[in-house]
Every structure is written in structure tokens, then in C-alpha cells.
Amino acid sequence: MKILVPVKRVIDYNVKPRVKADGTGVDLANVKMSMNPFDEIAVEEAIRLKEKGIATEIVVASIGPAKAQETLRTALAMGADRAILVATDDAVEPLAVAKILKAIAEEEQPALVILGKQAIDDDSNQTGQMLAALLGRPQGTFANAVTVEGDKVIVAREIDGGLETVQLALPAIITTDLRLNQPRYASLPNIMKAKSKPLATKAPADYGVDTAPRLRTVTVAEPPMRQAGIKVADIDDLVGKLKELGVA
Ligand code: AMP
């Protein structure tokens, strides 16, 4: 069984994003970039399925600039077998990403595609769902636990207030939630080995996908500064203040 894991290169989650002075977007110059954390969880889950003898090959794919190769090498160092870079300097929106992934899935025929539930740069939370719809395959989103049983996969999904368990017929699409697993760090020998694993470079046009944006960003702004808090003497004072603010 083959597993496809799409991985996105995003601003590292420890970095506080800075908005460009002209409000056209987020400043990416000299900013540390890393694999989207939910995608690390997806790679880890695929590796665990391989270690259990369920998966036989893990293919990772990224749509992005040439530097996304580093993200793919990280996935290869964790334990993926092969990588595909779909190189483009355009900002590719979820629908175009999903169309490219659909074409890759048709070529590779994976039994499972495991994506992150969202990319932490634009927080779209759309690509997995769009891919499932385009391929006409069942989807188990926000996975908290994944169990493959024969030609089915059982996914416990994080929903408001608990877990919902669904059973999907393979081939299927899964998106990962935070508590699915704790991704491993790549060891130094595996980082060295990853340098010689196969990485194919393609272009969106190879898959017949037009990546022209359908959305126009009007402006990007910092969130408003939080107001300082105030201390209250007692409950009466608190209720008085709340009344003043019109919230009680
Ligand atoms: P999003 O819908 O943008 O929040 O992204 C959800 C998931 O889709 C991510 O966690 C990745 O697994 C995948 N994905 C989104 N954009 C890309 C990309 N440019 N390259 C590879 N995978 C992507």
C-alpha cells in the first residue's frame, strides 16, 4: 500500500510573523521556514503505518519554491521514500494545490493520502476536503487515531466536545489533527541518507493546472493591540465596571 503525504513549507511556528509595511502580505525575508507542523504529523503517521508493515512506500509532495526541497528532504530524513517537488514561485491557493495533488494521486494511485488539517500560514483548512471531493474519495478529517483494517481505514475524528469514529473504504483521504502522534526527529545518519533519496522536480503545467490566483488580497494588517487589564477591588466593583462597559 502506497501513501502520499503533501507537505508545505511555511513560516516556522516559533516565529512571530511581521506584516509588510505596505500591507500587501507577510514579510518572508530572512524568516526561518519549516515543514507545516500538521504535515510532520502526517509524515509520522505514514511512517508508523510502514513500520507496522501496512504501508510499503511513502511518497511526499510539495508545491512551492525551489527551497521547498529542504522541506521534502526533512520528510525523507524522517523516513519517507521518495519526493516530488512541483516548483512554482507563485502563491498557490488550496484549490490549485488540490488539483495538482489530484493529478499526482491519479499517477501514483496511493491507497491513502494523509494531509495536515491546515497550513499554519494561511489557516485555510481546505485542501484535504477539496482533494477528496475532486477525487470522489471518502475523507476522515481532523484525525486523532488511524487504524487500517484490510480494505478499510477507521478514523477517530476530533469534533467539538469529543471524538467521532468513521470507517472509510480505501482509497481514502485523511487530514491530521494535533493529537494524532508526536513526530520524530530525523537522526543525523538519516539526514545524510535522505540526500540520496529520489526527488523529482515538476511544474504545475506538467499536471495541466493553472495556478493563477482566484482571490485578491485587499490588505493585510496586524491584529489590534490588546488593551491593558484593570484591577477591581471586589465583586461590586467588578459588576459596576461590567455595567459601565455594557456587558452586564
Ligand atoms: P490548507 O488547506 O492550506 O490549510 O492546507 C491543508 C494541508 O494541505 C496542509 O497541511 C498540507 O498537507 C496540504 N498543502 C497545502 N498547501 C500545500 C502545498 N503548497 N504543498 C503541499 N501540500 C500542501
Side-chain angles (χ1 to χ4, degrees):
M1 168 173 138
K2 194 191 277 188
I3 303 183
L4 172 65
V5 184
V7 295
K8 188 177 187 187
R9 179 176 182 265
V10 297
I11 291 192
D12 188 271
Y13 72 97
N14 285 306
V15 174
K16 186 177 180 306
R18 281 186 321 259
V19 173
K20 284 188 198 159
D22 61 4
T24 54
V26 168
D27 195 357
L28 295 182
N30 303 318
V31 172
K32 181 170 186 239
M33 307 290 283
S34 300
M35 190 190 306
N36 181 42
F38 293 106
D39 304 352
E40 283 185 349
I41 296 173
V43 174
E44 175 67 35
E45 197 61 21
I47 296 168
R48 289 187 189 188
L49 288 170
K50 195 173 170 198
E51 285 170 346
K52 282 185 197 148
I54 294 168
T56 46
E57 189 184 25
I58 302 166
V59 181
V60 285
S62 193
I63 297 117
K67 287 220 160 176
Q69 271 193 42
E70 292 165 13
T71 314
L72 290 167
R73 291 279 174 215
T74 304
L76 294 172
M78 284 173 75
D81 298 295
R82 182 155 71 76
I84 303 169
L85 170 69
V86 183
T88 170
D89 287 324
D90 297 340
V92 188
E93 291 170 2
L95 182 59
V97 172
K99 286 181 181 170
I100 293 172
L101 293 176
K102 173 182 187 255
I104 295 177
E106 280 167 352
E107 216 169 84
E108 298 283 346
Q109 295 292 327
L112 271 180
V113 184
I114 311 181
L115 306 91
K117 75 164 175 182
Q118 72 195 63
I120 61 163
D121 50 0
D122 53 19
D123 279 336
S124 295
N125 183 351
Q126 293 173 354
T127 310
Q129 296 87 330
M130 286 176 169
L131 177 64
L134 290 173
L135 285 169
R137 287 189 188 165
Q139 56 181 295
T141 49
F142 315 127
N144 171 284
V146 171
T147 318
V148 177
E149 277 179 11
D151 58 357
K152 306 220 160 30
V153 57
I154 295 151
V155 180
R157 308 181 55 230
E158 299 214 3
I159 56 168
D160 286 347
L163 291 176
E164 175 191 54
T165 304
V166 292
Q167 182 177 288
L168 319 171
L170 294 172
I173 312 294
I174 291 175
T175 73
T176 62
D177 214 318
L178 205 57
R179 282 163 286 271
L180 178 59
N181 62 45
Q182 183 77 47
R184 70 195 62 193
Y185 289 106
S187 66
L188 192 58
N190 285 347
I191 293 172
M192 300 311 291
K193 263 192 242 159
K195 290 185 200 286
S196 53
K197 288 188 178 176
L199 190 156
T201 303
K202 304 271 187 178
D206 295 336
Y207 298 106
V209 177
D210 174 12
T211 56
R214 290 161 182 248
L215 304 174
R216 186 170 61 87
T217 302
V218 180
T219 181
V220 177
E222 295 271 359
M225 283 277 282
R226 264 183 81 171
Q227 301 290 321
I230 46 168
K231 277 194 177 165
V232 290
D234 50 30
I235 297 288
D236 290 341
D237 191 15
L238 172 65
V239 173
K241 287 272 179 345
L242 291 176
K243 281 191 177 149
E244 259 172 47
L245 294 169
V247 289

